[in-house]
Each structure stands twice: as C-alpha cells, then as structure tokens.
Amino acid sequence: MYIESRKIHLIEEVLKVEDESTLNALESVLKKAKKTRGKKNGIYDFVGVVTKKEAAQMRKAIEDTCETINENDWK
C-alpha cells in the first residue's frame, strides 16, 4: 500500500508544476523508464560507468587470480 500513496503524492506534485521544462523532463524520464522496463542490460549499458584505472585494476585481478588452462593437461 505504501507504493500507492507514493504514486498519489507524486501526482499531486506534478499537478503543482507550472514550468514546461520540468514537465518535459518528467515526460522524458517516464518514457525512458517505459522503454527499459523488462530490458536486459548489455555490456554497452555500462560504458563510462567504470574508469580506465578501475578497468585496468579489474583486468589485473582477473589475470592474477584466474587459472591458466593448458590444453595438454586433460588430453
């Protein structure tokens, strides 16, 4: 029931808005949320989220901790 009261409060606040740019921003957010609902994230959704330094640290950690597979070990 908490979500319903939040929705009502949000509607009340939107009704008070008089600035058209604010309404455009709200519409944009709602359209984007509607498009992404149920959509799975891909690798390109994370571009720019991780810095180059963090990416290098992640690569280093993977190299240091991952096992190297030798093809001849299991033949």
Side-chain angles (χ1 to χ4, degrees):
M1 194 62 176
Y2 178 68
I3 194 166
E4 297 300 323
S5 63
R6 288 178 56 201
K7 289 179 185 180
I8 291 170
H9 178 70
L10 182 60
I11 291 169
E12 289 171 346
E13 292 300 313
V14 170
L15 291 173
K16 293 177 188 176
V17 172
E18 293 182 14
D19 182 26
E20 188 161 343
S21 64
T22 302
L23 289 175
N24 289 338
L26 288 168
E27 286 175 341
S28 174
V29 168
L30 290 173
K31 284 179 187 175
K32 185 176 179 182
K34 187 175 182 179
K35 285 181 184 178
T36 59
R37 197 175 302 140
K39 178 184 166 193
K40 293 183 179 181
N41 290 335
I43 186 70
Y44 295 106
D45 294 326
F46 298 99
V47 171
V49 174
V50 177
T51 66
K52 288 183 180 184
K53 183 179 178 181
E54 291 170 328
Q57 289 173 339
M58 291 169 73
R59 281 191 204 96
K60 179 81 170 118
I62 291 169
E63 289 173 7
D64 292 346
T65 59
C66 286
E67 179 181 329
T68 303
I69 298 174
N70 186 345
E71 292 179 24
N72 296 321
D73 286 347
W74 55 285
K75 284 185 178 180

